[in-house]
Amino acid sequence: MTEDGRPLGVLMVCGQRIDGASLYTSEGSHTETVGEWTAKSALGPGLSTWALDAPAEGWETARAAAPLDAGTTYHLRGWTKDDSRSSTAVDFTPEDLEQLAPGHVRYYGPTSTLTVPVAEFEATACKKH
């Protein structure tokens, strides 16, 4: 989250590349993309962030996320154009985001969903567990 409460996408690329990210919902076999972003240049190793609700520098926004629906579970996942790699998806609801303090990130850690300061995420997300 930004200081003013806007949701951010956060990706930690570990040793490879990521070309973009998708925000989607799924129910059974039905998946609906509600936001999609492509990096203007492939993302190499390191931390990358962008606004989910507005165009962001370095990103092409195919579809900015509209206001999120209460009680709906969303999934955010990074991907490559050739489908050779993807990030671990993180699941969240708008209610989860309301609990997220600025400067913190929610991600799927070794065995469960974690909420930690961005600096801790950056330092530990690529470590093998």
Side-chain angles (χ1 to χ4, degrees):
M1 290 296 237
T2 63
E3 291 294 328
D4 62 355
R6 294 176 48 221
L8 290 175
V10 179
L11 284 173
M12 186 67 189
V13 181
C14 301
Q16 299 294 323
R17 77 172 206 285
I18 292 290
D19 296 317
S22 296
L23 180 66
Y24 59 96
T25 61
S26 61
E27 264 188 58
S29 63
H30 176 73
T31 299
E32 181 180 353
T33 300
V34 296
E36 188 165 76
W37 305 267
T38 302
K40 290 184 179 176
S41 298
L43 305 174
L47 185 73
S48 187
T49 64
W50 71 100
L52 294 181
D53 61 355
E57 187 175 331
W59 292 86
E60 293 178 7
T61 305
R63 184 175 185 174
L68 305 177
D69 295 328
T72 299
T73 299
Y74 293 88
H75 317 278
L76 181 64
R77 177 184 74 84
W79 42 261
T80 57
K81 291 176 184 175
D82 64 4
D83 289 326
S84 63
R85 304 242 183 259
S86 66
S87 69
T88 301
V90 64
D91 302 339
F92 63 91
T93 65
E95 294 79 12
D96 294 327
L97 294 182
E98 289 173 8
Q99 303 301 314
L100 197 60
H104 284 71
V105 64
R106 178 183 172 91
Y107 77 107
Y108 190 76
T111 59
S112 63
T113 302
L114 304 171
T115 300
V116 298
V118 171
E120 182 178 334
F121 171 69
E122 189 171 12
T124 61
C126 291
K127 291 184 178 178
K128 302 280 186 215
H129 296 280

